[in-house]
Amino acid sequence: MTLQLLVAAMNKKPAELAEEMRIDSDAIIVSQGERYAYEELCHSGHSIRYFSMAERGVGLSRNHSLQRAGADISLFADEDIVYEPGYEQEVLAAFEAHPQADMLFFNVQAMPGRETYNNTDFGRVRWYNSGRYPTYSLAVRTERVRQKNINFSLLFGGGARYSNGEDSLFIRDCLRAGLKAYRVPVTIGHERERESTWFKGYNAKFFYDRGVLYRYLYGRMARIMALRFLFSHRGEMCREISWKEAYGIMRRAIREHRG
């Protein structure tokens, strides 16, 4: 099998980014910049294709790279991930060991305070426990995703109308389409510190956007899942805005987006 790293970036030079991320596999980098450009380069013996585009939106960047992917396995990445030596072999070995898997979630150590998951065993991932996983933890069998015509939302994520959630919606769509997802206790990298392009604190917009996301994700169960979310994270997220006020904001967003 073959693997490509699909990197979503912003205003990055390909050679410098490859060094920062310690890329040691074939890769496609799509960088949101000021102008259109294309470049091919060789890094550590691997082929990197670089696309610069003027349009904004992480979902759009991920769709561009996924459409151009030519390897058996696509491993999604953000520009702030630093990869462990041998990550390509680790990912391919996991797919070899689990031929039934269409999607595998790997450990990527997040910055302190941003951790949402830690895989300690091998197991199935379903809709109710998939929301904790970021896109950069995910690798997929490329053709299986193409067969189901699954893409990232252009409404959610950095640079889009609503600040985040394109990853959760993509994973939800994969699971709904029948793709089989599993978690594996294999660490392939870590997140390096940088300023978020979308997170500006737990303010009214954060909770409103989260309410819209939950409406798209959970439908009639959106209010219950919103309450569960706030109750679980109230100590961290509800210091400036009380959890009751935050719940009111999320409920309004859910109500206004019933369609």
Side-chain angles (χ1 to χ4, degrees):
M1 287 191 295
T2 56
L3 179 144
Q4 275 180 316
L5 196 65
L6 307 186
V7 185
M10 179 172 287
N11 293 318
K12 290 292 185 178
K13 296 180 179 179
E16 293 178 4
L17 185 60
E19 288 290 339
E20 291 175 2
M21 296 179 65
R22 299 178 188 169
I23 292 177
D24 194 19
S25 65
D26 288 354
I28 297 175
I29 299 173
V30 178
S31 180
Q32 299 173 41
E34 299 302 324
R35 63 186 180 87
Y36 296 101
Y38 175 71
E39 184 177 342
E40 293 183 7
L41 63 151
C42 181
H43 178 78
S44 298
H46 297 284
S47 171
I48 296 180
R49 300 171 66 200
Y50 170 81
F51 298 85
S52 176
M53 50 188 291
E55 293 90 351
R56 294 290 187 262
V58 67
L60 185 62
S61 295
R62 296 202 195 282
N63 286 339
H64 270 282
S65 62
L66 186 57
Q67 289 167 6
R68 291 164 173 77
D72 300 310
I73 304 299
S74 292
L75 174 61
F76 295 106
D78 287 346
E79 65 180 54
D80 56 350
I81 305 302
V82 179
Y83 285 93
E84 297 289 331
Y87 70 88
E88 179 182 25
Q89 291 74 24
E90 293 277 10
V91 172
L92 292 177
F95 276 97
E96 291 280 6
H98 305 291
Q100 78 280 19
D102 301 307
M103 311 161 59
L104 289 177
F105 293 95
F106 295 86
N107 281 328
V108 177
Q109 182 61 48
M111 292 295 299
R114 287 170 50 90
E115 306 94 335
T116 60
Y117 78 102
N118 180 42
N119 298 333
T120 58
D121 61 357
F122 174 79
R124 190 77 178 264
V125 174
R126 301 186 185 275
W127 70 270
Y128 53 80
N129 64 350
S130 66
R132 70 189 71 177
Y133 293 104
T135 311
Y136 58 72
S137 68
L138 174 62
V140 301
R141 295 188 190 272
T142 310
E143 283 307 312
R144 289 289 288 149
V145 173
R146 286 207 179 113
Q147 288 169 4
K148 300 296 184 179
N149 194 30
I150 302 169
N151 293 290
F152 285 88
S153 171
L154 303 185
L155 276 177
F156 295 86
R161 181 173 182 179
Y162 304 111
S163 53
N164 74 317
E166 84 291 344
D167 44 7
S168 298
L169 289 165
F170 179 82
I171 295 166
R172 187 276 314 268
D173 289 346
C174 287
L175 295 175
R176 279 187 175 179
L179 272 62
K180 294 181 180 179
Y182 297 85
R183 62 181 182 272
V184 290
V186 177
T187 299
I188 59 173
H190 66 272
E191 182 185 33
R192 59 183 171 83
E193 187 173 1
R194 66 159 179 161
E195 183 178 353
S196 173
T197 58
W198 67 268
F199 181 70
K200 306 302 179 185
Y202 298 111
N203 52 27
K205 177 171 173 54
F206 172 87
F207 292 113
Y208 188 88
D209 289 359
R210 179 66 55 144
V212 178
L213 173 64
Y214 275 33
R215 172 58 185 151
Y216 278 77
L217 274 176
Y218 303 117
R220 294 180 180 179
M221 294 182 63
R223 289 186 179 185
I224 295 173
M225 298 302 286
L227 189 60
R228 176 177 176 269
F229 167 75
L230 289 171
F231 186 79
S232 298
H233 300 283
R234 64 191 185 282
E236 174 190 358
M237 297 183 178
C238 299
R239 296 174 182 172
E240 297 183 9
I241 297 178
S242 72
W243 75 267
K244 289 185 178 180
E245 183 181 356
Y247 184 52
I249 295 171
M250 291 184 72
R251 286 185 62 183
R252 176 166 60 86
I254 292 166
R255 183 176 62 252
E256 292 176 354
H257 289 79
R258 285 178 178 174

